[in-house]
Amino acid sequence: MRTDARRHHDPEVRGFASDNYAGGHPEILAALALANGGHQVSYGEDDYTAHLQHVMRSHFGPYAQAFPVFNGTGANVVALQALTDRWGAVICADTAHINVDECGAPERVGGLKLLTVPTEDGKLTPDLIDREAYGWDDEHRAMPQVVSIAQNTELGTVYTVDEIRAICEHAHERGMKVHLDGARIANAAAALDVPMRSFTNVPGVDVLSFGGTKNGMLFGEAVVVLDPDAVRAMKHLRKLSMQLASKMRFVSVQLEALLARDLWLRNARHANAMAQRLAEGVRTVDGVTILHPVQANAVFARLPHDVSERLQKRYRFYFWDEAAGDVRWMCSFDTREEDVDGFVAALREEMKR
């Protein structure tokens, strides 16, 4: 079919800045074409969104309810609002995406107080949670009502099933609910080699922000309510938060294509494998230190600042802590072995200059 649009980039160029840089997986594009044509009821009353409920329940249990949204920040804000009162607070790691990378949206848009806890590896524990889990009867303090964890974390680390179970039990014993930011949930499941349900609804997570854009979708995520008794007014909160898509079938069909069979797992396993290949290559380069365990699709490293600046002219990636010389390299579903090997070779060249 003819179009007047023109290509404005080189599709052969790859970088290591973000898994969001990747385009859409061909199977996702095919699903969008399949859903196109004709008329479907808008605002989520379409056949694709109805079928998505069955797909989500096959992964997250018979009580799961999926609410497609536009993006990850929207998913987190809607989910956390649904779990809290106006005076409620959310306990999270100080490196959590909701605290560092969402422009204050949970606090400014959601009206929440974030109670942040320093961690060594991005992961909360019951003991760390207890640093902020107090003062429920103190009207002068925002009430801790939710523990929010990310799987995998912003530092690329992955919670084990037992670690999440311990957090859920600890939070529920104290009357708090548990939210899981699953922007890269597929990468965590692939790393652990377990079903996603094993570290979500089974151990007791109440609400999940399910991520698809970092794993092959063009746009869209979903709030997945795992315990319907834990939330209220989800439909209203989604609309109020400007996350209700009029042509929702085009979000829902992408989620179906990702989850109906094994595309989500294939993509995540490949991205993780490329990160492992990258880490193995980087370890052979003198003067470069890997900072955290490489458990999913992220590699955090420290190297001389001037080397990073030169390397960035050849491959896109971001500083994580520029003052310390820390960088983050991300792999995606379309990262190729030759991309990784070329990057490692370029890194070695720049380190020798």
Side-chain angles (χ1 to χ4, degrees), residues 72-238:
T73 296
N76 287 336
V77 171
V78 171
L80 294 173
Q81 282 182 293
L83 293 170
T84 53
D85 295 309
R86 287 288 300 278
W87 50 89
V90 177
I91 299 173
C92 63
D94 61 352
T95 55
H97 198 274
I98 59 173
N99 181 51
V100 176
D101 290 306
E102 296 187 348
C103 197
E107 296 180 317
R108 293 179 63 86
V109 177
L112 304 166
K113 172 67 176 176
L114 299 182
L115 303 173
T116 61
V117 181
T119 71
E120 292 185 0
D121 56 4
K123 298 198 292 185
L124 292 177
T125 65
D127 287 342
L128 289 175
I129 289 168
D130 279 347
R131 293 187 183 183
E132 293 291 349
Y134 64 89
W136 287 278
D137 292 327
D138 183 356
E139 68 268 33
H140 301 287
R141 187 173 194 267
M143 182 186 293
Q145 293 185 320
V146 178
V147 174
S148 180
I149 60 176
Q151 178 76 316
N152 28 294
T153 74
E154 288 300 294
L155 299 183
T157 52
V158 176
Y159 286 93
T160 67
V161 174
D162 288 341
E163 286 172 336
I164 292 182
R165 180 180 296 109
I167 287 171
C168 290
E169 291 176 354
H170 193 74
H172 291 157
E173 286 172 359
R174 285 152 179 74
M176 298 184 293
K177 300 179 178 70
V178 179
H179 163 256
L180 190 145
D181 180 351
R184 296 183 176 94
I185 186 173
N187 300 94
L192 294 170
D193 196 24
V194 297
M196 291 183 287
R197 70 173 67 88
S198 68
F199 57 84
T200 53
N201 55 298
V202 171
V205 172
D206 296 291
V207 176
L208 161 70
S209 296
F210 180 88
T213 308
K214 292 177 172 63
N215 198 32
M217 286 173 51
L218 284 183
F219 57 89
E221 321 278 310
V223 177
V224 185
V225 176
L226 304 175
D227 179 5
D229 293 332
V231 304
R232 59 183 184 274
M234 270 297 306
K235 290 175 65 175
H236 298 279
L237 284 172
R238 179 173 58 177

